[in-house]
Amino acid sequence: MKTTIFKKLILLIAVGVFSQFAMAHNEDNAAAIKQVADIVAGINHFPSDDALATLDGIAANGGLAQAIRDMANAAANIEHSANEEGRGAMEALQNNTQMPERGRVLAGIIENFSHTCSDADKERLAELFP
C-alpha cells in the first residue's frame, strides 16, 4: 500500500515538473514569435542593428521551435525583400498544416515582404500578436 502511494506521488511530481517545463517552453516560443512579428511590422527595407541582433539571437536559440527560428532567420536576411532561401522556408511553413494559423500568416508576410509591411499586414500582425 505504501509503495503504491509513493509511486503515485512520484508520478504526480514528475508530471508537474514536466508540465511546468513545457509551459515555460511554450511561453518562450510565444514571446519569440511576438518579437519576430513586431520586428517585421517595423522593418523599413532591412532590419535595424538592434532588430538584427534580436532576430539573430532568436534564430540561434536551440530551445525555441524550429519554425520560429526559421522565421527569425528569414526576417534577419531581409534586404528590401526576403532572400530566396527565406522565401522557400516561409513557403514551407505556410504549407505545414500543423503550423498554427497565426504562424502561417506571419510566414506569408515575411515571404511577400517588399520594402516595408503594408498597413493591412501591420494591422493583421497587431491582431494576431497583441
Side-chain angles (χ1 to χ4, degrees), residues 24-46:
H25 181 70
N26 287 339
E27 289 174 7
D28 290 346
N29 283 325
I33 197 168
K34 174 150 177 39
Q35 284 181 300
V36 173
D38 290 347
I39 289 170
V40 168
I43 292 176
N44 189 11
H45 299 285
F46 52 86

Side-chain angles (χ1 to χ4, degrees), residues 41 116-127:
T116 190
C117 261
S118 69
D119 289 339
D121 284 344
K122 287 178 185 179
E123 286 178 24
R124 182 81 172 153
L125 290 174
E127 289 172 10

Side-chain angles (χ1 to χ4, degrees), residues 2 8 21 28-29 31 43 48 53 57 64-65 67 75 77 84-87 95 97 101 104 110:
K2 288 182 182 179
K8 287 181 182 180
F21 176 74
D28 290 346
N29 283 325
I43 292 176
S48 68
L64 297 173
N77 288 306
E84 187 175 330
E85 181 182 336
R87 284 191 304 270
N95 292 330
T97 58
E101 177 65 21
R104 288 195 304 262
I110 294 169

